[in-house]
Amino acid sequence: MDVVPEMLTERTVLTTLAALAVLGMFVLLCRARRVSASVEDATLAALHRVTSAAPHLRAGLTQESADKTAPHLRELLACVAVGIVDADGTLLSWDGEANYHYADLRTKIEQVLRTGKREFLDHGDVTCDHRPCPMRHAVVVPLEVEGENRGALTVIAGGDRKRLLRAAAEVANHVSTQLELAELQESKERLAKAEVRALRAQISPHFIYNALNTIGSLIRTDPEHARDLLQEFADFTRYSFRTSGLYTTLADEIRNIDRYLTLESARFGPDRLNVQLKIAPEVLPVVVPFLALQPLVENAVRHGLATKPGGGTVSVIAEDNGTEALISVDDDGIGMDPELLDAELANAHLTGAHVGLGNINNRMRATFGNDYGLVVETEKGAGMKVIMRVPKFAPGVRPVPPPPSIDEPSVGLAAGPQLSR
């Protein structure tokens, strides 16, 4: 059962728009170079310049990104100069000649930032002492993201006015699309961080209270065991509440699960909580979203086994599946009706029910794509199994090392994964 249906992402729409803008620039460049080059050569040249500029624009509109982008835009437009201005009217970069005419363009730039409409300036409209001057025309076009000005693009050309206006508009659309993608990426990262904070908040206060209570009860009767559990608790909280990094390795997530289950086993007793960890060594380096597994294991213990008479078993299995890692969290607890689970997930943002499950599903899809949502198998009285597929490589997904453990104690996975416990 897929938890959340597939849908077209906003990023896909924006990428399509960017591709259409690039195609428009291809046509312009091809028309401008009929005599000197073939259509294929012009297309390849335009593609190279567009793809060279795009990565810098994805960093947002800053002086550094503008300095790296402006030369590519000037080559793409085959113009005299390109200037990039931010929303406050500050010149971030100027690449090319005729920079002495920037003062003549200041009023036009301010009008564009104020109205959002392009402005044109002819060389005959200004006083110029430079002979010969490469400028014949200049145009200032707005850089808009979702209807708001983020800056302006100034283009100075020595050729045809009509071509200048069309080409400048196409390039401005491309730049605006890249800036919108940059803001979307930033918004996505903020959302991911907010979701991690929400998962931390979901770590049950009852678990923390019960863990400390269990440790306290052992201080006199078994101080060595109490010390070991206190070490596990310290390492668990240190890892779970760290503030850096959206991603981690499967090995680090498994270690944290091992700590959690060690504490819960001490509370419930080995007769009520059985644990099985089966981890293939080759998938330990796979990168997963931070806190992607612990909430699933906690859900299995709290909702699947805690209320089942006699307890049961929770199993965590990670297998090599070609280009992916196949991970499952399985319990033989009380389970639930699949239709009821669907209904609760649909209203999780209102009721808080299974919010961790929905949160992780959303993060997996946002990180790896819609095909990587969670799959849940459950039936009332038959336990629950949550299946997660993780690609072994995904662009931009890199782990951040976890904070060091106190006194660096040995963990079950330090010398390799425990196959069962």
Side-chain angles (χ1 to χ4, degrees), residues 38 59-60 86 101 193 319 331 361 376 396 414 418:
S38 67
D86 67 12
H101 279 306
K193 290 178 181 178
E319 302 173 305
D331 70 77
N361 177 73
V376 180
Q418 294 179 344

Side-chain angles (χ1 to χ4, degrees), residues 61-314:
L61 196 57
T62 64
Q63 182 173 345
E64 181 180 0
S65 66
D67 282 339
K68 293 179 179 179
T69 300
H72 298 294
L73 298 183
R74 184 170 67 85
E75 290 183 7
L76 180 62
L77 290 165
C79 61
V80 173
V82 166
I84 300 176
V85 179
D86 67 12
D88 297 324
T90 302
L91 180 64
L92 299 177
S93 182
W94 183 279
D95 186 77
E97 303 178 71
N99 57 339
Y100 44 82
H101 279 306
Y102 175 70
D104 300 318
L105 291 165
R106 284 291 305 170
T107 301
K108 298 293 185 181
I109 292 172
E110 292 171 359
Q111 290 176 352
V112 169
L113 293 176
R114 185 172 61 252
T115 65
K117 298 179 180 179
R118 74 181 183 188
E119 292 288 336
F120 183 82
L121 183 67
D122 189 84
H123 187 267
D125 298 331
V126 300
T127 301
C128 182
D129 297 329
H130 293 77
R131 295 291 185 270
C133 180
M135 170 183 160
R136 286 186 60 191
H137 312 288
V139 63
V140 183
V141 287
L143 301 175
E144 294 185 342
V145 175
E146 296 184 351
E148 295 185 6
N149 279 340
R150 295 294 189 268
L153 181 69
T154 300
V155 181
I156 292 181
D160 180 68
R161 169 176 175 171
K162 184 177 180 180
R163 178 184 177 275
L164 169 64
L165 294 176
R166 293 183 60 190
E170 293 290 348
V171 171
N173 285 337
H174 170 69
V175 173
S176 296
T177 300
Q178 298 303 317
L179 294 177
E180 189 165 358
L181 287 171
E183 293 191 9
L184 180 62
Q185 179 64 28
E186 183 181 354
S187 175
K188 174 185 170 183
E189 291 177 358
R190 287 198 301 267
L191 177 61
K193 290 178 181 178
E195 289 176 333
V196 169
R197 288 195 295 270
L199 283 177
R200 290 195 188 101
Q202 284 296 118
I203 295 176
S204 173
H206 294 291
F207 162 71
I208 296 175
Y209 169 80
N210 290 330
L212 292 175
N213 193 48
T214 300
I215 294 170
S217 67
L218 292 170
I219 288 178
R220 294 196 178 194
T221 59
D222 192 347
E224 190 64 27
H225 190 197
R227 180 189 179 282
D228 292 341
L229 291 177
L230 188 60
Q231 182 72 71
E232 298 284 4
F233 179 77
D235 289 339
F236 172 82
T237 54
R238 180 186 293 252
Y239 177 86
S240 299
F241 292 97
R242 78 182 194 187
T243 58
S244 62
L246 296 175
Y247 309 109
T248 188
T249 63
L250 179 60
D252 289 333
E253 283 288 292
I254 295 296
R255 286 190 183 96
N256 205 48
I257 289 172
D258 187 60
R259 296 172 190 129
Y260 172 80
L261 291 173
T262 296
L263 292 163
E264 289 291 65
S265 294
R267 178 165 75 96
F268 286 106
D271 296 333
R272 292 201 63 226
L273 178 58
N274 299 313
V275 175
Q276 290 185 345
L277 298 178
K278 297 181 180 180
I279 314 298
E282 55 268 32
V283 300
L284 289 174
V286 170
V287 181
V288 297
F290 178 61
L291 287 184
L293 295 182
Q294 189 275 333
L296 302 181
V297 175
E298 183 172 355
N299 183 74
V301 173
R302 289 181 59 202
H303 301 292
L305 301 178
T307 58
K308 179 184 178 181
T313 301
V314 58

Side-chain angles (χ1 to χ4, degrees), residues 21-83:
V22 170
L23 180 60
M25 285 184 286
F26 288 170
V27 174
L28 286 172
L29 189 60
C30 291
R31 288 178 178 174
R33 298 187 173 183
R34 276 196 201 112
V35 177
S36 61
S38 67
V39 172
E40 291 82 2
D41 290 341
T43 299
L44 290 174
L47 179 60
H48 172 72
R49 287 159 186 160
V50 168
T51 55
S52 297
H56 308 305
L57 293 169
R58 294 290 179 85
L61 196 57
T62 64
Q63 182 173 345
E64 181 180 0
S65 66
D67 282 339
K68 293 179 179 179
T69 300
H72 298 294
L73 298 183
R74 184 170 67 85
E75 290 183 7
L76 180 62
L77 290 165
C79 61
V80 173
V82 166

